[in-house]
Amino acid sequence: MHRTGIALSGGGTRGILHIGVLQALEDNGVFPGVISGTSAGSIVGVLYAYGYSPNEILEIAKEQSLLRMFSLKIPNKGFARHSLLRKIIRDHVPVKRFEDLKKPLYVAIANLNTGKAEVVSSGPLEDVIIASSSIPVLYEPIKIGEYWYADGGLLMNLPLSPIRNEVDFVIGVNLIPRTQVSSEEVNTIMGVAARSFTLATINTIEPELKFCDALIEPKEIAQYSKFTFRDTQAMYDIGYNEAIKILPDVKAATVGVRSNH
């Protein structure tokens, strides 16, 4: 059994926070051996599972403008395509199957036909990552087999349960904090729409929390949009600092367990 597992939630451009978390863990001798992810979490997750260090993932995100795929631009001629994400995956993760990654990876996707969440950890890799990151309305859904799939955040934004029995200690990183908002934030059409989507996402997160040993859910991340790519350093720093806070719990729970690094 692996020592530590980590589940990385969806959250658009807030996904930069995941990289800060991973860097803080590695800086302190904790190397997650199993990864699960949804949407932005699946993108960071696949790069990490392939073998990139957190610093290398950060450079890939900056150089390839990876975060721009989450910019909120409603298409006016149909769904947008995932050409940028496909290129990044093919350039930086030159393997075809989950089994070819260096660490086990579990990815949540939403089956639009059945209305159920599915978690994939084997077989063809690329389309699953694309599907998990297919934000509804913005991006075209992905057909895998006979079904159409979209962003895993619709039904399982923080996939903790899939890795619970695979590790000794599970860390969850939630980019959609469960916070109260002011009346001013919900008195416009856009405000109500944004809050409604957030509440729906939170409802997919809460049932998963019982599978978590340590949760990183910084409330201050709520001030940063999920759809813009400013303040990336600030979000990275939040992730780093929040991971430092849980280190005593991680190390206390895993002491004496053989390292998987």
Side-chain angles (χ1 to χ4, degrees):
M1 181 177 284
H2 295 272
R3 185 177 186 178
T4 305
I6 191 165
L8 308 174
S9 86
T13 52
R14 293 177 185 171
I16 202 80
L17 184 147
H18 291 321
I19 307 174
V21 168
L22 291 169
Q23 187 64 62
L25 293 175
E26 290 204 352
D27 284 351
N28 289 275
V30 178
F31 298 86
V34 177
I35 304 95
S36 65
T38 297
S39 196
S42 75
I43 297 171
V44 173
V46 73
L47 292 167
Y48 190 63
Y50 179 71
Y52 289 107
S53 70
N55 275 333
E56 289 170 332
I57 297 172
L58 184 62
E59 290 306 309
I60 291 171
K62 289 179 178 178
E63 291 175 7
Q64 299 293 332
S65 300
L66 177 58
L67 299 179
R68 292 182 181 275
M69 66 163 286
F70 292 108
S71 61
L72 190 60
K73 295 180 180 178
I74 305 298
N76 58 11
K77 294 184 179 180
F79 294 115
R81 297 183 181 275
H82 276 294
S83 54
L84 172 60
L85 180 54
R86 284 195 185 277
K87 182 179 187 305
I88 291 171
I89 293 174
R90 290 174 182 177
D91 287 349
H92 295 281
V93 187
V95 297
K96 300 295 185 183
R97 301 177 65 83
F98 279 83
E99 292 87 346
D100 299 325
L101 298 171
K102 294 180 180 178
K103 297 183 179 185
L105 175 67
Y106 294 73
V107 175
I109 53 179
N111 187 318
L112 294 177
N113 298 96
T114 67
K116 296 181 179 180
E118 297 180 16
V119 178
V120 184
S121 60
S122 62
L125 178 65
E126 181 180 308
D127 276 351
V128 174
I129 304 298
I130 300 296
S132 187
S133 307
S134 293
I135 302 170
V137 181
L138 294 182
Y139 286 98
E140 62 180 355
I142 302 298
K143 192 172 187 181
I144 302 174
E146 60 180 307
Y147 296 123
W148 289 92
Y149 293 88
D151 196 307
L154 288 172
L155 300 171
M156 185 183 281
N157 199 51
L158 184 60
L160 289 157
S161 57
I163 63 173
R164 172 67 275 178
N165 293 329
E166 302 298 319
V167 296
D168 301 293
F169 193 89
V170 180
I171 300 168
V173 188
N174 178 25
L175 304 180
I176 313 293
R178 296 163 292 156
T179 57
Q180 181 173 320
V181 300
S182 67
S183 297
E184 289 74 19
E185 293 178 78
V186 290
N187 64 0
T188 65
I189 292 176
M190 286 302 294
V192 170
R195 183 59 173 167
S196 298
F197 185 78
T198 295
L199 292 175
T201 304
I202 287 172
N203 281 336
T204 79
I205 292 170
E206 291 190 333
E208 290 290 301
L209 294 180
K210 62 179 177 287
F211 301 103
C212 186
D213 295 307
L215 179 65
I216 295 173
E217 186 186 53
K219 289 181 170 53
E220 60 263 44
I221 197 65
Q223 68 185 288
Y224 299 103
S225 171
K226 300 185 291 294
F227 302 109
T228 60
F229 28 89
R230 297 186 300 272
D231 304 310
T232 55
Q233 185 63 46
M235 290 188 283
Y236 175 94
D237 290 343
I238 290 172
Y240 192 100
N241 294 331
E242 290 295 315
I244 295 296
K245 295 178 183 178
I246 68 163
L247 278 169
D249 291 336
V250 178
K251 293 192 172 184
T254 57
V255 64
V257 181
R258 183 172 60 85
S259 172
N260 59 69
H261 178 52

